[in-house]
Amino acid sequence: MVEIFDVVLRAGRAGVELALFVLLPVMVVMLSLMRLLEARGVLDWLVHRLAPMLRPAGLTGLGVFAALQINFVSFAAPVATLAMMAQRGTSPRHIAATLAMVMAMSQANVLIPMSTMGLAFGTTLLLSLAGGLLAAATTYHVFGKHLSDQEEAVDETLHHPVAEDAKGVLDVINRAGAEAFKITIGAIPMLVLALVAVAGLRASGIIDLLTSLLAPTMVLLGIDPALILPTLTKFIGGGTAMMGVMDDMLRAGTASVASLNASAGFLVHPLDIPGVAVLISAGKPVAAVWRVAIIGGAVGIGLRTIGHVLLT
């Protein structure tokens, strides 16, 4: 019993430290920056310029905004945009393309903190954009071509606070800080549970058994067998849980920065059980196209995976 409590306390300490001393500071800065750019109209300007160019890939102006949110805010940020698309009558085909793009891209709440662990931020971001665009295009033109693309005139105005004076700027920063704190505190339970589960799997010998069974095949494919643990954690517990496990492995020396960058393509994205559950909560029109979106998202993740392996 003492050993169990010791594992729980060590996992709890590691999870809280990662959340409060890595995730929180980074998210406060990035969210404040993004919300200020949003309030000053910079993101509106960018969306209006990019939307016509990305329309052939099946993305609307709101879809472009969702791309900015997933890459620079958090994986949950596009939920509000997807809900807005559903409420304003965006076609199922465009919603499917946007959802697939979001599923294939790297989420900021994992990408940015993991860049402090050695993840190549620029490379990951560029491959995220490429994978997201491929996911959207293949979903719109191939996997979702049977979906209706008929829609009435859709209001794509982005409603958000403005920051035209010092008080407005401070209000935006305060709201961004509160949002970052909420994201961080919400991540702690999953981080702690993931680290406790990992410690239990290691102690029971299950991880060693899986590694011994899968290692020969993985070595032939040029894949580091140490990635079995973070991969299982990621698809069951989500990206934040995977980040906690990878941080623990990097500190213990059982994973390297090179393996982190090589595996980022298939580890840093919201296409996992918790991620899909959160994204489809945006509404029935979004939940109705999740199967099609997952296929397109997988194509985009495949491109990112190949890209990371070749560039590492």
Side-chain angles (χ1 to χ4, degrees):
M1 186 61 71
V2 175
E3 290 79 4
I4 294 176
F5 284 133
D6 182 57
V7 168
V8 171
L9 289 174
R10 282 189 286 110
R13 187 180 302 112
V16 171
E17 287 179 354
L18 178 61
L20 296 183
F21 301 126
V22 177
L23 183 58
L24 180 58
V26 171
M27 292 305 296
V28 166
V29 173
M30 288 304 301
L31 273 172
S32 297
L33 177 61
M34 283 296 294
R35 294 311 185 201
L36 282 172
L37 292 176
E38 182 182 66
R40 297 294 292 181
V42 176
L43 295 188
D44 293 354
W45 178 87
L46 188 60
V47 166
H48 288 313
R49 296 298 182 279
L50 291 177
M53 293 185 289
L54 298 180
R55 189 81 185 187
L59 297 175
T60 63
L62 290 174
V64 175
F65 190 63
L68 295 173
Q69 288 177 313
I70 184 73
N71 283 289
F72 296 103
V73 182
S74 77
F75 89 98
V79 173
T81 302
L82 288 167
M84 194 183 303
M85 293 175 71
Q87 293 164 3
R88 295 183 180 182
T90 303
S91 74
R93 197 170 172 185
H94 285 103
I95 291 177
T98 302
L99 181 59
M101 173 200 68
V102 169
M103 288 179 174
M105 285 182 156
S106 57
Q107 66 270 51
N109 57 297
V110 174
L111 167 62
I112 298 172
M114 290 193 77
S115 65
T116 66
M117 303 176 193
L119 181 62
F121 179 83
T123 301
T124 305
L125 183 60
L126 288 175
L127 288 173
S128 170
L129 295 173
L133 289 177
L134 178 62
T138 54
T139 300
Y140 187 81
H141 294 288
V142 181
F143 306 120
K145 64 180 180 180
H146 62 284
L147 298 172
S148 171
D149 61 354
Q150 299 300 312
E151 58 187 11
E152 300 176 1
V154 177
D155 177 15
E156 295 193 337
T157 305
L158 301 172
H159 303 292
H160 49 69
V162 295
E164 297 179 348
D165 52 28
K167 183 178 184 303
V169 170
L170 288 175
D171 287 343
V172 169
I173 292 175
N174 286 333
R175 281 193 294 268
E179 187 179 353
F181 188 77
K182 182 178 179 181
I183 291 172
T184 301
I185 297 302
I188 290 177
M190 189 58 70
L191 281 171
V192 173
L193 289 173
L195 292 174
V196 170
V198 166
L201 290 173
R202 282 174 174 165
S204 65
I206 293 177
I207 294 299
D208 292 336
L209 177 61
L210 281 174
T211 302
S212 63
L213 291 174
L214 298 176
T217 303
M218 296 183 72
V219 170
L220 287 175
L221 295 174
I223 304 173
D224 186 354
L227 294 175
I228 292 174
L229 180 57
T231 301
L232 287 174
T233 305
K234 187 265 181 304
F235 287 98
I236 296 174
T240 307
M242 178 278 297
M243 178 174 64
V245 171
M246 184 62 79
D247 179 60
D248 186 54
M249 292 175 65
L250 288 169
R251 293 176 185 274
T254 54
S256 64
V257 172
S259 64
L260 167 63
N261 280 283
S263 62
F266 67 89
L267 286 182
V268 185
H269 57 79
L271 186 49
D272 47 52
I273 294 174
V276 171
V278 170
L279 291 172
I280 65 175
S281 68
K284 288 184 178 180
V286 179
V289 298
W290 72 270
R291 292 179 180 84
V292 171
I294 282 180
I295 300 172
V299 172
I301 291 169
L303 174 66
R304 290 184 56 209
T305 300
I306 295 171
H308 275 280
V309 170
L310 293 177
L311 295 176
T312 301

